[in-house]
């Protein structure tokens, strides 16, 4: 028999594990002094690494040392308190420890039988979360639908489309493919790019996606434009299958009218998918539950705790009203997965709820967050982000060089320099290049704008003020 490799002993694992936790804590403590955006050129990190893997094992301490030497200089620090680009990707201490426990358990939860706790904890945690968000009873695990943790909202959108096709075709798409039925999918011009990618992956193609104009002020989907597009397609012999409704678009945080869209597409039985990837978690606060007004009409709904709600990536919570369409589209049972529990029909096998077979114990980190923060702690976090965004809007209003582009949406503020696009983008890039903060941009009605998304678990008013001073300085430099 060949020799076994040298695994860590329990004592060595304990020592190195403590060292890794210490490294993370020191990393967090150092963030305020680090440039937010990576300051390296293409290839800089690669050149610090050897061309081949080592023949003989090295001490784990050497890897920790190389995190400081090789990795940290090449990171954009998403946990930095002045990371305001895109949306936050929170890794709170509780979530990290939950993720560590998941990795240590190392269970494969593809079917109930391979680890019953992986499935049943996930069901309970998603029922808790659905209740906390005020989602319809049909979305609970004891109803006709249920929830599942996907990796990202992009996968959730793809899964929703597959479910919609299965329902609309009475299962024919599963057996024979999409054919030439002329399926059509709808979303606003501000819908997430994952909608087009879902159509591509489902075999419909990009041309199957009809983009609907938005209100120039609110940036929400123009519902009358949607109605006209659906009617035109039906009269042309095409088949509307799904409409993507955004509760908080990426660009400006715009809120489509879920209830009005549902009313428009009801007579054609179109699947209604609500994408609330960033904004949906705000519904843990009763005063922000209006962002999901009309969600009771949705066939599927997704929001990402891994953005604003303190849960380490990846954790995208996805619910359906009727699980039969979902499992009908994705269920497949090879002989090697057959087991008594599945055959009994008394359990959920989550392998049927998403494209992939294998799945890790993602629920444990959301469980850790819900239990250690409690709903009141989560509400306090969301409210802090909203209050800081209002503070940014006040700062914009107090400086006549700047102007708001859209009204603040929860913790997202979109604004620009009145002087024009060139000055707006130059000021933003000057702040980003300085390392003081990191902002992102968008285009609204043809004009450039700066996005400032608050939501990190480490961000304070002092961080917002420091970033604003940097922007003011950069605006001054633009003349």
């Amino acid at each position: 028999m060949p020799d076994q490799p040298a695994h860590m002993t329990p004592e060595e694992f304990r020592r190195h594990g403590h060292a890794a936790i210490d490294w993370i804590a020191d990393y967090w403590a150092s963030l305020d002094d680090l440039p937010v955006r990576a300051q390296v050129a293409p290839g800089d990190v690669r050149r610090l690494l050897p061309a081949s893997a080592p023949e003989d094992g090295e001490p784990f301490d050497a890897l920790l040392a190389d995190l400081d030497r090789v990795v940290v200089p090449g990171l954009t620090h998403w946990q930095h308190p002045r990371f305001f680009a895109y949306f936050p990707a929170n890794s709170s201490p509780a979530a990290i420890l939950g993720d560590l426990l998941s990795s240590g358990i190392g269970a494969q939860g593809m079917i109930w039988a391979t680890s019953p706790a992986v499935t049943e904890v996930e069901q309970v945690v998603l029922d808790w979360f659905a209740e906390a968000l005020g989602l319809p009873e049909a979305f609970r695990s004891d109803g006709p639908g249920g929830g599942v943790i996907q990796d990202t909202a992009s996968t959730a959108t793809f899964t929703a489309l597959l479910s919609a096709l299965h329902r609309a075709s009475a299962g024919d798409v599963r057996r024979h493919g999409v054919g030439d039925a002329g399926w059509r999918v709808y979303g606003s011009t501000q819908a997430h790019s994952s909608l087009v990618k879902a159509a591509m992956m489902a075999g419909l193609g990009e041309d199957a996606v009809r983009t609907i104009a938005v209100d120039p002020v609110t940036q929400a989907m123009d519902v009358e434009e949607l109605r006209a597009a659906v009617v035109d397609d039906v009269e042309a012999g095409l088949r509307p299958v799904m409409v993507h409704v955004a509760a908080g678009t990426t660009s400006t945080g715009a809120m489509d009218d879920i209830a009005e869209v549902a009313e428009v597409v009801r007579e054609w039985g179109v699947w209604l998918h609500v994408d609330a990837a960033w904004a949906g978690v705000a519904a843990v606060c009763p005063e922000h539950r209006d962002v999901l007004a009309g969600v009771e009409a949705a066939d599927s709904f997704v929001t990402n705790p891994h953005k604003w709600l303190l849960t380490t990536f990846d954790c995208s919570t996805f619910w359906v009203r009727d699980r039969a369409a979902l499992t009908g589209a994705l269920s497949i049972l090879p002989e090697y997965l057959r087991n008594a529990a599945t055959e009994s029909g008394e359990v959920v096998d989550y392998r049927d709820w998403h494209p992939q077979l294998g799945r890790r114990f993602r629920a444990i980190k959301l469980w850790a967050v819900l239990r250690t923060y409690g709903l009141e702690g989560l509400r306090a976090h969301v409210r802090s982000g909203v209050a800081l965004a209002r503070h940014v809007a006040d700062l914009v209003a107090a400086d006549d060089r700047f102007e708001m582009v859209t009204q603040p949406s929860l913790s997202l503020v979109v604004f620009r320099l009145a002087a024009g696009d060139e000055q707006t983008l130059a000021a933003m890039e000057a702040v980003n290049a300085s390392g003081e903060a990191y902002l992102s941009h968008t285009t609204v009605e043809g004009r450039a704008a700066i996005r400032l998304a608050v939501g990190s678990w480490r961000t304070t008013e002092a961080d917002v003020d420091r970033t604003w001073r940097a922007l003011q300085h950069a605006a001054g430099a633009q003349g």
Side-chain angles (χ1 to χ4, degrees):
M1 293 290 292
D3 293 338
Q4 290 290 310
H7 301 294
M8 287 185 193
T9 66
E11 293 73 22
E12 289 172 329
F13 174 74
R14 185 174 287 109
R15 178 170 64 84
H16 292 312
H18 286 188
I21 294 292
D22 286 344
W23 187 91
I24 294 170
D26 290 342
Y27 169 69
W28 286 342
S30 71
L31 282 176
D32 207 54
D33 299 321
L34 294 174
V36 186
R37 194 174 72 176
Q39 306 286 297
V40 297
D44 283 355
V45 175
R46 186 183 183 95
R47 280 187 285 273
L48 294 173
L49 296 168
S52 302
E55 285 293 330
D56 298 313
E58 300 175 7
F60 190 78
D61 295 338
L63 183 142
L64 286 179
D66 275 354
L67 289 179
D68 294 315
R69 182 181 70 89
V70 178
V71 175
V72 170
L75 289 177
T76 289
H77 302 289
W78 284 68
Q79 304 309 310
H80 198 292
R82 292 187 300 283
F83 181 96
F84 298 117
Y86 312 109
F87 288 119
N90 281 297
S91 279
S92 68
I96 288 173
L97 293 175
D99 220 16
L100 179 62
L101 291 170
S102 173
S103 295
I105 291 169
Q108 165 59 271
M110 54 191 178
I111 56 178
W112 180 91
T114 57
S115 272
V118 174
T119 295
E120 295 189 15
V121 169
E122 185 161 332
Q123 288 178 299
V124 170
V125 166
L126 287 177
D127 282 349
W128 286 0
F129 195 32
E131 181 180 40
L133 297 175
L135 297 182
E137 289 287 338
F139 285 173
R140 312 292 170 84
S141 63
D142 58 357
V148 61
I149 300 179
Q150 306 278 11
D151 50 8
T152 63
S154 296
T155 299
T157 297
F158 178 47
T159 304
L161 179 54
L162 295 177
S163 305
L165 286 164
H166 182 80
R167 187 177 75 179
S169 70
D172 197 56
V173 163
R174 173 190 170 114
R175 293 187 296 272
H176 305 299
V178 295
D180 58 358
W183 302 107
R184 285 296 179 266
V185 179
Y186 307 84
S188 86
T189 57
Q190 303 303 303
H192 194 269
S193 60
S194 60
L195 180 62
V196 173
K197 184 172 281 190
M200 291 160 53
M201 292 190 295
L204 303 182
E206 295 177 61
D207 290 347
V209 180
R210 290 287 300 269
T211 53
I212 308 301
V214 296
D215 182 282
V217 176
T218 67
Q219 296 293 293
M221 183 188 291
D222 185 323
V223 180
E224 288 308 311
E225 287 276 348
L226 172 66
R227 186 194 308 276
V230 173
V231 169
D232 286 349
D233 285 343
V234 170
E235 291 178 349
L238 302 172
R239 298 186 66 180
V241 64
M242 188 177 89
V243 58
H244 173 286
V245 183
T249 61
T250 301
S251 180
T252 64
M255 303 287 174
D256 294 340
D257 191 321
I258 301 171
E260 277 199 30
V261 170
E263 190 60 35
V264 163
V265 300
R266 191 185 311 279
E267 67 176 280
W268 295 287
V270 178
W271 186 284
L272 183 66
H273 175 60
V274 176
D275 181 349
W278 155 70
V281 299
V284 297
C285 300
E287 69 270 26
H288 297 311
R289 201 155 285 172
D290 59 336
V291 303
L292 301 184
V295 72
E296 62 276 3
D299 292 291
S300 55
F301 169 82
V302 65
T303 191
N304 293 350
H306 68 226
K307 282 190 169 74
W308 195 4
L309 208 66
L310 302 168
T311 307
T312 304
F313 186 86
D314 53 356
C315 183
S316 182
T317 49
F318 174 66
W319 288 269
V320 289
R321 169 177 300 282
D322 178 8
R323 71 176 70 128
L326 172 61
T327 58
L330 295 170
S331 175
I332 187 166
L333 186 61
E335 185 61 37
Y336 54 79
L337 290 180
R338 292 189 179 279
N339 64 90
T342 296
E343 300 290 347
S344 75
E346 296 179 2
V347 302
V348 162
D349 288 335
Y350 272 137
R351 64 180 171 80
D352 297 333
W353 290 55
H354 43 52
Q356 68 271 25
L357 170 63
R359 63 194 326 272
R360 62 195 301 264
F361 198 173
R362 290 192 188 99
I364 201 167
K365 57 192 170 189
L366 183 56
W367 192 32
V369 167
L370 288 170
R371 291 186 63 178
T372 59
Y373 284 94
L375 295 180
E376 275 304 311
L378 299 181
R379 292 176 189 127
H381 172 68
V382 168
R383 287 166 178 153
S384 171
V386 173
L388 288 174
R390 290 197 194 105
H391 179 54
V392 174
D394 290 342
L395 293 171
V396 171
D399 189 327
D400 59 11
R401 293 173 296 177
F402 293 87
E403 60 186 18
M404 296 292 292
V405 173
T406 54
Q407 289 300 306
S409 178
L410 297 170
S411 63
L412 175 64
V413 189
V414 183
F415 57 98
R416 63 185 166 218
L417 267 70
D421 290 358
E422 183 179 343
Q423 293 84 349
T424 296
L425 295 176
M428 183 195 73
E429 180 53 30
V431 172
N432 290 349
S434 74
E436 187 75 353
Y438 190 25
L439 306 162
S440 60
H441 76 281
T442 188
T443 301
V444 181
E445 297 298 309
R447 294 188 61 186
I450 297 171
R451 299 172 68 262
L452 194 155
V454 188
S456 167
W457 62 281
R458 305 180 73 250
T459 299
T460 65
E461 186 171 325
D463 294 302
V464 169
D465 289 342
R466 183 169 167 179
T467 300
W468 184 250
R469 287 194 296 271
L471 268 172
Q472 287 181 310
H473 177 75
Q478 298 309 310

